[in-house]
Amino acid sequence: MGGTYVRLADTDDVYLVQRSPIKSYFASSKLQWQRLKLFDASFEDVASLKVVSGAGNEFDFVQGEDKEWALSDMSVLPEGFRFDGSIARSLVSVFLNLRAREILVMSPDPAASGLGVDGNADTYSLTLRSGVAHRLRLGKVDVDEQNHYAQLNEDQLLLIPTFAADNIRKGLSDFRALNLMEFDPNAVTRLSITSKNERRIFEKKDGQWTVAEDSAQPLTDFVLNSATVERSIQELSRVKATSYVDNAPATAKAWFRKPAFEIAVTLESDETAALLLGADLEEGAQTIYYARGNADNGTYLVPEHEVAQFTESGFDRWK
């Protein structure tokens, strides 16, 4: 006879209940009863996050009085390295919301877990503004290669999903700022796009955008959309590269002396800022440009879709 045995609270009376949904009221898996979120704190509670990789690299992220995240010692950055505090902020947020896949009851073999004294575990030290501190050590992957062994503080052994572990494993290059342009888009009075075949120039007169006289000219029935020009200037100010080129080819300087495209803005102060797109390369079906902006003198890679508004010839996109 099937059914579920139920004992009334505070009594010894036991009953057999048939066709009862009572089992569905309670979680039967231990994972459903375990607290799997590692930290019970809000982002505003965090004072710092220190990361020491198994290879010995060390980063100490702190939040300044301006609420921006930075390294506690910015002098350790290589010359010309622009640090992106928003990436550090994102790392802290992801770390703070880590969840274990499972809390281990039995301690794994230290050699297998990488959490022994001789292991090269990555160590994360989270300090809250209250003074409370937590330490997470991230060890090796398990036999299924789906999780990393981890140790929270001194006594709690965990399994952390591999994808989550990968999200908090960062090198210095991951914190490089990849924005290429630095200018106030609201102060632009002139936008020029120069390629090997044409030069299109838009200028603002009496608050309205027009095609400049020294520009290539559209068909006579063309009507310029001022909102499109404004939006394009905003897009130019936000152009981001996919990566920094550490060792740019020797020919890179020549690419930028005669770039495939030069997209330049003139400001109310008569200052100019330009984005140079040099030689392109194919990555599958995607076109990538070597690029340089006014944010620094570095060479970056920019996908074509980031700058398509400017690289397409003619005036069709500007209606």
Side-chain angles (χ1 to χ4, degrees):
M1 181 182 298
T4 302
Y5 288 100
V6 178
R7 182 174 65 83
L8 293 180
D10 301 322
T11 75
D12 293 326
D13 299 334
V14 178
Y15 300 87
L16 177 62
V17 181
Q18 293 180 310
R19 294 186 297 277
S20 170
I22 194 168
K23 281 189 174 181
S24 65
Y25 298 161
F26 304 99
S28 57
S29 167
K30 69 175 182 179
L31 296 181
Q32 294 175 280
W33 290 90
Q34 291 178 333
R35 179 179 174 81
L36 299 178
K37 190 173 188 297
L38 271 56
F39 308 109
D40 185 17
S42 68
F43 187 84
E44 290 70 25
D45 296 331
V46 180
S48 67
L49 176 64
K50 184 176 182 178
V51 182
V52 181
S53 72
N57 298 317
E58 184 174 316
F59 309 108
D60 190 7
F61 302 105
V62 295
Q63 187 178 28
E65 294 181 0
D66 57 359
K67 304 298 182 182
E68 295 294 326
W69 282 85
L71 293 174
S72 61
D73 181 7
M74 297 291 281
S75 68
V76 303
L77 296 174
E79 183 179 354
F81 188 104
R82 290 185 297 121
F83 182 84
D84 190 337
S86 67
I87 301 175
R89 177 187 176 89
S90 177
L91 171 65
V92 174
S93 178
V94 169
F95 183 81
L96 192 62
N97 288 287
L98 279 175
R99 295 178 65 88
R101 191 186 298 278
E102 184 178 346
I103 298 173
L104 299 176
V105 178
M106 302 293 292
S107 298
D109 177 69
S113 68
L115 297 173
V117 293
D118 297 326
N120 292 322
D122 295 341
T123 303
Y124 300 80
S125 300
L126 180 73
T127 303
L128 305 181
R129 297 188 182 280
S130 64
V132 173
H134 298 283
R135 188 176 78 147
L136 179 72
R137 299 179 65 222
L138 193 61
K140 297 179 180 179
V141 296
D142 62 7
V143 292
D144 297 325
E145 298 186 349
Q146 298 296 313
N147 307 285
H148 276 264
Y149 290 106
Q151 181 181 31
L152 179 60
N153 299 324
E154 299 300 325
D155 54 357
Q156 199 167 42
L157 294 167
L158 319 162
L159 288 179
I160 302 288
T162 298
F163 71 85
D166 290 343
N167 284 339
I168 62 171
R169 282 187 152 163
K170 303 287 185 183
L172 181 60
S173 62
D174 294 314
F175 296 95
R176 183 185 291 275
L178 294 176
N179 63 298
L180 298 186
M181 303 299 292
E182 291 184 354
F183 67 89
D184 180 1
N186 297 313
V188 173
T189 59
R190 186 176 171 95
L191 169 66
S192 68
I193 306 161
T194 304
S195 69
K196 295 176 181 178
N197 300 317
E198 65 178 352
R199 189 181 190 203
R200 289 163 291 166
I201 303 172
F202 307 102
E203 58 185 6
K204 185 182 268 189
K205 289 184 177 180
D206 300 324
Q208 294 296 316
W209 285 96
T210 63
V211 178
E213 293 181 0
D214 54 345
S215 167
Q217 294 297 309
L219 298 174
T220 54
D221 61 349
F222 173 81
V223 178
L224 178 64
N225 188 331
S226 292
T228 299
V229 179
E230 296 281 1
R231 184 172 62 252
S232 298
I233 291 170
Q234 292 284 345
E235 291 174 359
L236 180 64
S237 72
R238 296 192 295 264
V239 166
K240 294 191 89 169
T242 54
S243 62
Y244 175 81
V245 181
D246 277 309
N247 298 300
T251 54
K253 289 183 178 179
W255 297 338
F256 297 128
R257 280 197 297 269
K258 293 184 178 181
F261 294 91
E262 179 182 11
I263 304 111
V265 292
T266 302
L267 308 179
E268 293 170 348
S269 62
D270 288 333
E271 294 178 291
T272 60
L275 173 66
L276 306 179
L277 303 179
D280 58 12
L281 57 128
E282 300 292 332
E283 288 193 0
Q286 184 173 232
T287 298
I288 306 290
Y289 288 101
Y290 286 100
R292 179 177 294 169
N294 75 319
D296 60 28
N297 292 320
T299 300
Y300 297 81
L301 295 180
V302 172
E304 200 275 337
H305 66 78
E306 275 280 311
V307 290
Q309 177 68 22
F310 309 102
T311 58
E312 184 174 309
S313 62
F315 288 86
D316 287 347
R317 279 181 175 260
W318 303 90
K319 294 179 180 180

